[in-house]
C-alpha cells in the first residue's frame, strides 16, 4: 500500500493540483505528483497505467470513459482502489477543456470543483462494482474470442485467393517496387503526427496512399497522395481531381459506393472487390502486393487491447489478416517517429562544443610539455614540426 497524503480543505472532498492527461502527448509531457487529481480519457485502464498513478501518489482519477467497459478483464481499477485512490468515471468530455494543469481543484461526490464551480461530474466507482465488472468481463471474453476465431477463419477461407495470390487487387499505375509506402488514415491530430514524421518523409520520400478524407488534409498540408482508397462520398472533389489513382472498395459483383460521384466528376477510378470494405486494410494489401519494401501505417493502432475490445466488430478479422499478410514489412508510424525523435533540450550542441574544446586543450598541453624548453617554445616547436610534416606530404 502506497502512503497517500491528501490535502483536505475546510470543504469536504480531496484537494490537489489538477493534471490534464487527455492530449495526444500529455502522458509523456505532463508530470504528475503526490496528491494530484488527474483527468484522463482511458477506457479499460490497464495495470501499467494504474501502477504509474500509484507510484506518483495521485489522490484521484477522473475519467471521461469507463474504467472497465466489460470488453476486457482489466485489473487496473482494483489496483487504484486498493491504493486508496478515488475514481470517478463517465464524466462529460467537455471537462478536458476546463481543466488547467497545476490549478488547485477539489474532488467531492463525483464532482470536480474549482472553488465552488463544478467543472463536471460522473459516477464514483467502488471496489465491489469494479470486481463485479472484472468477473463479468472475464466470463464474456472467452465467448468473444471464440466468435472472433470463427469469423477470422471464415474470412481467411473465403478470401484465400486475395490473401495468398492477390486475386482482385487492381494494377495501379504507381511503381511501388522496393519503395517505402505510407498509408495515411484519417486522424484528428494528423497534422501533428505528420510533423513528427517530417524527417522520415524528407529522407525517403515515400509513396503516399491516402484513405478517404485524409487525402483532403494531406493536400492542404502540401503532401500529394499517389493513390487514394475509399468511398468518394468521403473525399473532396479537389483530392479526386488531384491526379492520384482512385481505388474504390467494391462488392464481389464490382458495385462500388460512390461510383456515381466519380462519374459525375469525370474522374477515372479502379474497383477493389473484397469481402471487407475497410479501405485501410485494402490499402495495406495493395501496397504489399505491388512490392513495397516497407509499409508504414499512419492511423489508429491495432494492438491486443483493441482486439479484445473489438472482438465483435466486423473489421477486426480483416485488420488482423491484412497486417499478417504484410508481415514484417508492416511498421506503425509511431515507431518511425520515435526513431527520428530529436531532443528539444537544446543542450546537445553545447556538450559537443565542450568536447571539442577539451580535446584541443589536451593537445595543447601535450605539445607544451613534450620538450625540454619552456611551455611556449615547446608549443612553437611542435607547431613548426607539424607544418613541416604537412609540407613534406605535398612535396612527395
Amino acid at each position: 500500500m502506497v502512503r497517500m497524503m491528501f490535502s483536505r480543505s475546510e470543504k469536504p472532498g480531496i484537494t490537489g493540483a489538477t493534471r490534464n492527461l487527455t492530449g495526444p502527448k500529455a502522458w509523456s509531457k505532463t508530470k504528475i505528483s503526490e496528491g494530484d487529481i488527474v483527468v484522463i480519457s482511458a477506457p479499460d485502464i490497464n495495470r501499467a497505467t494504474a501502477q504509474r498513478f500509484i507510484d506518483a501518489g495521485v489522490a484521484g482519477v477522473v475519467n471521461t470513459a469507463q474504467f472497465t467497459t466489460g470488453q476486457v478483464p482489466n485489473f487496473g481499477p482494483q489496483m487504484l482502489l486498493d491504493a486508496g485512490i478515488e475514481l470517478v468515471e463517465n464524466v462529460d468530455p467537455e471537462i478536458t477543456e476546463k481543466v488547467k494543469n497545476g490549478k488547485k481543484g477539489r474532488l467531492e461526490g463525483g464532482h470536480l470543483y474549482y472553488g465552488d464551480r463544478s467543472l463536471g461530474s460522473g459516477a464514483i466507482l467502488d471496489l465491489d462494482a469494479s470486481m463485479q465488472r472484472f468477473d463479468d468481463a472475464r466470463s464474456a471474453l472467452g465467448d468473444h474470442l471464440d466468435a472472433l476465431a470463427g469469423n477470422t477463419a471464415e474470412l481467411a477461407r473465403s478470401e484465400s485467393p486475395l490473401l495468398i495470390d492477390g486475386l482482385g487487387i487492381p494494377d495501379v499505375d504507381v511503381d511501388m517496387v522496393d519503395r517505402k509506402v505510407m498509408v495515411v488514415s484519417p486522424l484528428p491530430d494528423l497534422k501533428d503526427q505528420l510533423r513528427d514524421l517530417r524527417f522520415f518523409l524528407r529522407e525517403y520520400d515515400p509513396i503516399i496512399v491516402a484513405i478517404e478524407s485524409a487525402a483532403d488534409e494531406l493536400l492542404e498540408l502540401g503532401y500529394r497522395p499517389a493513390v487514394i482508397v475509399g468511398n468518394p462520398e468521403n473525399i473532396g472533389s479537389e483530392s479526386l481531381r488531384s491526379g492520384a489513382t482512385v481505388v474504390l472498395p467494391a462488392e464481389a459483383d464490382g458495385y462500388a459506393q460512390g461510383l456515381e460521384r466519380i462519374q459525375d466528376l469525370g474522374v477515372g477510378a479502379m474497383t477493389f472487390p473484397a469481402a471487407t470494405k475497410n479501405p485501410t486494410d485494402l490499402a495495406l494489401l495493395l501496397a504489399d502486393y505491388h512490392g513495397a519494401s516497407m509499409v508504414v501505417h499512419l492511423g489508429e493502432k491495432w494492438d491486443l487491447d483493441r482486439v479484445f475490445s473489438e472482438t465483435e466488430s466486423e473489421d477486426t478479422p480483416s485488420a488482423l489478416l491484412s497486417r499478417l499478410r504484410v508481415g514484417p514489412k508492416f511498421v506503425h508510424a509511431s515507431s518511425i517517429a520515435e526513431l527520428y525523435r530529436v531532443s528539444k533540450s537544446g543542450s546537445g550542441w553545447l556538450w559537443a562544443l565542450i568536447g571539442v574544446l577539451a580535446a584541443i586543450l589536451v593537445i595543447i598541453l601535450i605539445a607544451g610539455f613534450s620538450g625540454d624548453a619552456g611551455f611556449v617554445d615547446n608549443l612553437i616547436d611542435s607547431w613548426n614540426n607539424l607544418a613541416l610534416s604537412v609540407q613534406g606530404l605535398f612535396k612527395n
Side-chain angles (χ1 to χ4, degrees):
M1 176 73 70
V2 175
R3 183 173 63 90
M4 312 293 285
M5 297 180 61
F6 304 152
S7 174
R8 300 274 180 182
S9 64
E10 296 180 356
K11 296 181 179 180
I14 297 171
T15 301
T18 54
R19 308 291 178 189
N20 186 354
L21 301 183
T22 61
K25 297 182 180 179
W27 287 91
S28 59
K29 288 187 174 181
T30 304
K31 182 179 179 181
I32 53 177
S33 305
E34 186 173 9
D36 285 351
I37 300 171
V38 298
V39 178
I40 63 174
S41 180
D44 296 315
I45 189 171
N46 59 33
R47 184 185 184 93
T49 302
Q51 190 62 54
R52 179 188 175 191
F53 289 152
I54 293 170
D55 292 343
V58 303
V61 181
V62 178
N63 199 344
T64 62
Q66 278 189 297
F67 286 99
T68 299
T69 63
Q71 295 290 339
V72 293
N74 59 318
F75 198 64
Q78 295 180 51
M79 293 173 60
L80 294 171
L81 291 167
D82 286 340
I85 299 173
E86 185 164 339
L87 304 184
V88 179
E89 63 181 5
N90 289 331
V91 179
D92 191 327
E94 290 185 359
I95 194 174
T96 61
E97 301 174 5
K98 304 173 184 177
V99 173
K100 297 180 179 179
N101 282 326
K103 186 171 182 178
K104 190 175 181 180
R106 180 170 58 90
L107 189 61
E108 192 269 323
H111 289 258
L112 180 60
Y113 294 94
Y114 280 162
D116 293 325
R117 180 171 65 94
S118 174
L119 305 184
S121 64
I124 298 175
L125 180 65
D126 59 32
L127 187 58
D128 289 339
S130 177
M131 294 177 64
Q132 184 62 51
R133 290 184 192 175
F134 180 88
D135 292 338
D136 292 344
R138 184 167 53 184
S139 299
L141 182 60
D143 295 335
H144 293 163
L145 289 177
D146 287 342
L148 174 62
N151 293 336
T152 304
E154 175 59 26
L155 181 63
R157 184 194 63 79
S158 63
E159 291 287 48
S160 57
L162 167 63
L163 295 170
I164 297 173
D165 295 321
L167 189 65
I169 297 178
D171 291 325
V172 295
D173 190 22
V174 178
D175 186 9
M176 301 183 187
V177 176
D178 291 331
R179 291 286 305 277
K180 291 172 176 58
V181 175
M182 187 167 74
V183 176
V184 183
S185 302
L187 285 171
D189 60 339
L190 181 58
K191 182 177 180 180
D192 293 335
Q193 296 211 30
L194 284 170
R195 185 184 301 113
D196 292 339
L197 293 168
R198 62 189 181 277
F199 299 116
F200 167 73
L201 294 168
R202 188 180 306 159
E203 182 175 355
Y204 290 102
D205 188 26
I207 294 171
I208 297 178
V209 179
I211 306 302
E212 296 192 336
S213 61
D216 302 331
E217 191 165 358
L218 284 166
L219 282 177
E220 291 177 2
L221 296 172
Y223 299 100
R224 186 170 293 276
V227 181
I228 300 174
V229 182
N231 185 344
E233 298 294 343
N234 302 324
I235 308 168
S237 300
E238 183 180 352
S239 298
L240 293 172
R241 290 172 171 158
S242 66
T245 300
V246 180
V247 178
L248 280 58
E251 305 287 347
D253 59 3
Y255 172 75
Q257 287 187 334
L259 187 60
E260 297 81 1
R261 182 161 188 261
I262 286 288
Q263 293 171 342
D264 292 341
L265 292 173
V267 177
M270 299 178 173
T271 58
F272 191 160
T276 179
K277 300 300 174 290
N278 187 293
T280 296
D281 299 341
L282 297 180
L284 295 176
L285 295 174
L286 180 78
D288 175 65
Y289 177 76
H290 286 290
S293 62
M294 177 187 290
V295 182
V296 179
H297 179 218
L298 177 53
E300 293 185 355
K301 299 178 184 178
W302 272 95
D303 54 19
L304 193 59
D305 288 339
R306 185 174 178 185
V307 171
F308 281 166
S309 64
E310 298 188 23
T311 51
E312 297 178 296
S313 170
E314 62 180 13
D315 288 336
T316 304
S318 172
L320 292 175
L321 291 175
S322 62
R323 285 155 178 79
L324 287 172
R325 171 66 264 186
V326 179
K329 295 189 290 185
F330 180 84
V331 182
H332 194 269
S334 59
S335 299
I336 299 292
E338 186 64 30
L339 288 175
Y340 282 86
R341 193 174 305 282
V342 178
S343 173
K344 297 181 179 179
S345 64
S347 60
W349 66 270
L350 180 59
W351 286 110
L353 179 60
I354 291 174
V356 171
L357 293 176
I360 294 174
L361 179 60
V362 170
I363 294 172
I364 291 174
L365 290 174
I366 293 174
F369 290 108
S370 61
D372 296 329
F375 181 84
V376 175
D377 292 334
N378 288 335
L379 192 60
I380 293 173
D381 289 342
S382 297
W383 174 258
N384 290 334
N385 291 334
L386 177 62
L388 291 172
S389 299
V390 173
Q391 291 176 4
L393 291 175
F394 286 100
K395 289 180 180 178
N396 295 333

